[in-house]
Amino acid sequence: MLCGEFHVEDDDTSMGRYGVLEPAELYEVASEAPELDEPVLLVALDGFVDAGNAARLAVAALRADRDARTVATFDVDQLIDYRSRRPPLRFETDRWAAYIPPKLDLVVLSDTGDTPYLLLSGPEPDMQWERFSAAVAQLVEQLGVRLVINLTAIPMAVPHTRPIGVTAHGTRPELTEGHEAWFATAEVPGSAVALMEFRLGEAGHDAMGFAVHVPHYLARAEYPQAARVLIDHVGLAAGLYLPTEALSKAAQRAEEEIAEQVEASDEVKQVVEALERQYDTVSSGRGDRSTLGMAGELPSADELGAEVEKFLAARDEEDGDESS
């Protein structure tokens, strides 16, 4: 069944927003798409902020050792600027031997209790955000999705020695009950997934998201602790039993290595201690929560990040040598 079988009403609003191309022309539905009973749709797109690679690690954990069946495939040629994110081609001696194209696919997976759910993952569209949002809305309606949850990770001026925070947001207040607000009003750079959530809310669909807080000095390293927390929150909101065992093991190892690195450097230790004092002051209600925001920068944070990342890079090199 091709995507062209789904249509949007040809009114002035849709024509003005999307031009003559319908959103359904962005994707193709699999010929044998499974029938699902009001599934949850998880969304994790590469290309925007993914501090600590938390969303990417979460997707890898969700897909590991799981049978993923394709439900729909997006036409990345319409959505991706290849010059800004050049896909890899392998060159061997005197010829091009292989090409790994980007994929933006909607698949069905099952949790550890065999409950099916949907996962949309791949590169964030560089263009046509409105059509992409409308296309997702069409799939939500076609597949009877009851809730959409997007996964992101943002850098924050917080220490790795304190509980990992999460910012929750949704299209109606009931979806985020029980989650403490970390921010008031803020202007932030837009993203395709944020616009998608906004448009879904306008259309009356339930959509929400979790942004896990990653220490800004670890934002460019892999931080499995954040991925585990992200999956825990998503699983609770979605009513799913999602796998976290591999992430828990990776998180324990990372915690030990980061603690070792901090202990070996007085400068690193001082910065972490400063972050701890700031965090504790805010948590006790005696400080401004905005100081923990994405713009929060403390002296020597770059040096701390460089030292920790150097340590983790050395660990990866050792792992590579062991596996060769």
Side-chain angles (χ1 to χ4, degrees), residues 215-233:
H216 62 297
Y217 52 86
L218 295 173
R220 289 177 289 179
E222 288 193 350
Y223 196 54
Q225 293 92 319
R228 181 185 59 193
V229 169
L230 193 56
I231 287 183
D232 286 341
H233 278 77

Side-chain angles (χ1 to χ4, degrees), residues 171-306:
T171 54
R172 56 189 180 90
E174 292 80 3
L175 295 173
T176 58
E177 285 183 352
H179 293 278
E180 189 174 3
W182 283 77
F183 305 101
T185 301
E187 294 287 338
V188 299
S191 66
V193 73
L195 179 62
M196 176 199 71
E197 181 179 315
F198 179 68
R199 294 301 186 204
L200 286 171
E202 287 185 325
H205 297 292
D206 280 351
M208 64 182 303
F210 293 105
V212 65
H213 305 164
V214 175
H216 62 297
Y217 52 86
L218 295 173
R220 289 177 289 179
E222 288 193 350
Y223 196 54
Q225 293 92 319
R228 181 185 59 193
V229 169
L230 193 56
I231 287 183
D232 286 341
H233 278 77
V234 170
L236 186 61
L240 297 172
Y241 298 98
L242 302 175
T244 58
E245 183 178 355
L247 285 174
S248 295
K249 292 180 180 179
Q252 182 178 1
R253 180 183 177 188
E255 286 171 1
E256 294 171 354
E257 293 172 341
I258 293 171
E260 181 180 324
Q261 180 68 8
V262 171
E263 189 63 30
S265 171
D266 289 337
E267 182 180 19
V268 171
K269 190 184 301 183
Q270 289 173 6
V271 174
V272 173
E273 290 173 350
L275 286 168
E276 289 173 338
R277 289 192 297 271
Q278 176 178 275
Y279 183 96
D280 293 342
T281 297
V282 172
S283 297
S284 65
R286 294 179 287 114
D288 183 0
R289 229 173 236 273
S290 65
T291 61
L292 303 180
M294 289 182 285
E297 294 183 2
L298 297 182
S300 301
D302 288 340
E303 288 81 359
L304 174 60

Side-chain angles (χ1 to χ4, degrees), residues 41 74 120 131-141 196 200:
L41 167 60
F74 281 82
L120 174 61
R131 285 186 68 217
F132 171 72
S133 298
V136 172
Q138 286 185 346
L139 288 168
V140 164
E141 295 172 1
M196 176 199 71
L200 286 171

Side-chain angles (χ1 to χ4, degrees), residues 102-116:
K103 292 183 178 180
L104 181 55
D105 295 339
L106 177 66
V107 301
V108 61
L109 297 165
S110 60
D111 69 359
T112 57
D114 292 330
T115 299

Side-chain angles (χ1 to χ4, degrees), residues 75-214:
D75 183 359
V76 293
D77 263 0
Q78 297 189 58
L79 298 171
I80 304 301
D81 179 0
Y82 293 107
R83 292 179 300 175
S84 66
R85 287 183 287 176
R86 297 179 184 272
L89 286 93
R90 185 191 310 144
F91 184 80
E92 295 181 357
T93 310
D94 58 357
R95 66 189 181 91
W96 295 108
Y99 170 57
I100 304 176
K103 292 183 178 180
L104 181 55
D105 295 339
L106 177 66
V107 301
V108 61
L109 297 165
S110 60
D111 69 359
T112 57
D114 292 330
T115 299
Y117 66 95
L118 296 164
L119 173 66
L120 174 61
S121 62
E124 177 194 29
D126 293 308
M127 54 199 73
Q128 301 193 50
W129 285 5
E130 290 286 7
R131 285 186 68 217
F132 171 72
S133 298
V136 172
Q138 286 185 346
L139 288 168
V140 164
E141 295 172 1
Q142 177 69 20
L143 299 170
V145 172
R146 64 178 174 84
L147 176 64
V148 179
I149 306 177
N150 69 68
L151 291 67
T152 55
I154 56 177
M156 298 275 281
V158 294
H160 68 279
T161 53
R162 296 296 184 266
I164 296 175
V166 173
T167 294
H169 45 86
T171 54
R172 56 189 180 90
E174 292 80 3
L175 295 173
T176 58
E177 285 183 352
H179 293 278
E180 189 174 3
W182 283 77
F183 305 101
T185 301
E187 294 287 338
V188 299
S191 66
V193 73
L195 179 62
M196 176 199 71
E197 181 179 315
F198 179 68
R199 294 301 186 204
L200 286 171
E202 287 185 325
H205 297 292
D206 280 351
M208 64 182 303
F210 293 105
V212 65
H213 305 164
V214 175

